[in-house]
Amino acid sequence: MVRACLIILTLTGPAFLAAAADSTASLIETIRKVSDKGQGHKAAVAAASQLSQSPPAELPSLLKAMNDAGPLARNWLRGAFETVAARSVNDSAFPKAELIAFFNDHGNNPAIRRLAFEWIAKADPAFAGKTIPESLADPSSEMRRDAVAHFIALAKDLAAKDDKDAARTAWEKALSGASDDDQLKLISKTLKETYDQEVNLIQHNGLIVDWRLIGPFDNKGKKGFDVAYPPEKEVDFSKTYPAEFEGMTNELKWTKLTGENPEGLFDIAKLTAPHKGAITYAAHEFLSDRDQPVEFRFATPNAWKLWLNGELLFGREEYHRGMFYDMYQVRGRLKTGKNLILLKVLQNEQKEDWAQAWTFQFRACDLAGRALRPAGNTASLDSSTK
């Protein structure tokens, strides 16, 4: 008996726990080395299998490791986390307090915070019931969606009880956290029809509808995607540029235009001309009160390239494969002061009715999809950027 106790003490003492922590850290590091192309995959499989046998006390370490892991590594770590969590969620050893601390730290990755929340909720449903209504401004879009759904359900319940004023308050609370298209449309429709209250979706979503355009440049035969026309070399709103298009030489200049669609659609074909095999560049100057990350969320059925302050962020050469809200999400970094957003929108020569759209919808957001407001009126900016 004495010998058995000594063995137990040895296996649960500080030295053993330190060794276990070192082992966990080593296994996590092995998984984090997996490249996006799968290099290190075999070692990661073995490491994930060992991590899946970890004690519940290692769950916070696995969450932290997922914060900035690559996509493949995150999947492996998540699998190990969920295996350990499923095995221990109903045990006293489940580290609920540590997971709550992780969730409450908004500096952690929103998607990983959400994963922590889901397992905390399984261990303590009352925590979920209290937390969701408080999450209208949470950095996690999933938490905000659940919070908005909560207030929508509350509003419907209050309306059914004929408490219109309380229902209206609940609808307005739902609106304050809403960023998903389906929820926004339901809320704005209800506020309009029931309370004659208009919702400015452009302002609410941070949609940009005032742009300077220059075009058309040639895209016959879809050859213009990789051609660097003058706006890709300099943006000078005071200059004009000769450009060949459909056998004619046009002297092109930048023109200020404002879209009037209430959902922020900027219809190039309607605002200029329905050219085919053409390219238009759209420029917007966004004022930021600080250096900060930005996520541009936009939609277009046309091919496109996007620059921020002269840096090419991304592009996609694809035409008329559909269009939906927040179709593309591209991240960049705003500097303090004026930031030049340049979007190249390419139209091809398809003749079908469904291939005539030459349009886009564009908004600036924080990394959680909440609208970023400009620091001032960009209309007062009329300078050139080279």
Side-chain angles (χ1 to χ4, degrees), residues 64 75 79 129 194 211 227 267 352 371:
K64 291 174 186 174
N75 283 341
T194 307
W211 295 85
V227 176
D267 192 336
E352 297 90 343

Side-chain angles (χ1 to χ4, degrees), residues 272-329:
T272 59
H275 294 300
K276 302 296 292 183
I279 295 168
T280 278
Y281 289 88
H284 178 87
E285 290 178 321
F286 188 95
L287 274 181
S288 178
D289 60 1
R290 62 188 183 281
D291 183 281
Q292 61 181 321
V294 62
E295 186 165 280
F296 297 117
R297 295 191 173 196
F298 60 102
T300 177
N302 308 101
W304 57 272
K305 282 187 176 181
L306 175 65
W307 292 260
L308 175 61
N309 295 325
E311 178 189 358
L312 177 63
L313 297 182
F314 208 78
R316 191 172 183 87
E317 190 174 14
E318 186 174 86
Y319 296 88
H320 304 297
R321 298 288 182 88
M323 176 177 174
F324 54 87
Y325 191 72
D326 285 352
M327 184 175 181
Y328 299 111
Q329 300 175 16

Side-chain angles (χ1 to χ4, degrees), residues 218-219 221-229 232-233 279 281 303-305 307 312 315-317 319 344 346:
D218 189 22
N219 191 37
K222 297 189 290 187
K223 66 182 181 183
F225 188 78
D226 291 321
V227 176
Y229 289 111
E232 297 182 35
K233 301 171 183 173
I279 295 168
Y281 289 88
W304 57 272
K305 282 187 176 181
W307 292 260
L312 177 63
R316 191 172 183 87
E317 190 174 14
Y319 296 88
K344 181 179 185 178
L346 301 95

Side-chain angles (χ1 to χ4, degrees), residues 122-158:
K122 290 179 182 179
D124 183 0
F127 175 83
K130 175 180 178 297
T131 301
I132 286 175
E134 299 171 347
S135 299
L136 284 168
D138 196 280
S140 162
S141 58
E142 291 172 292
M143 294 303 300
R144 291 202 309 279
R145 183 175 178 83
D146 282 355
V148 171
H150 166 84
F151 282 102
I152 288 175
L154 177 62
K156 289 180 176 178
D157 183 56
L158 290 166

Side-chain angles (χ1 to χ4, degrees), residues 225-242:
F225 188 78
D226 291 321
V227 176
Y229 289 111
E232 297 182 35
K233 301 171 183 173
E234 66 168 5
V235 174
D236 187 333
F237 298 133
S238 66
K239 281 191 176 181
T240 60
Y241 303 92

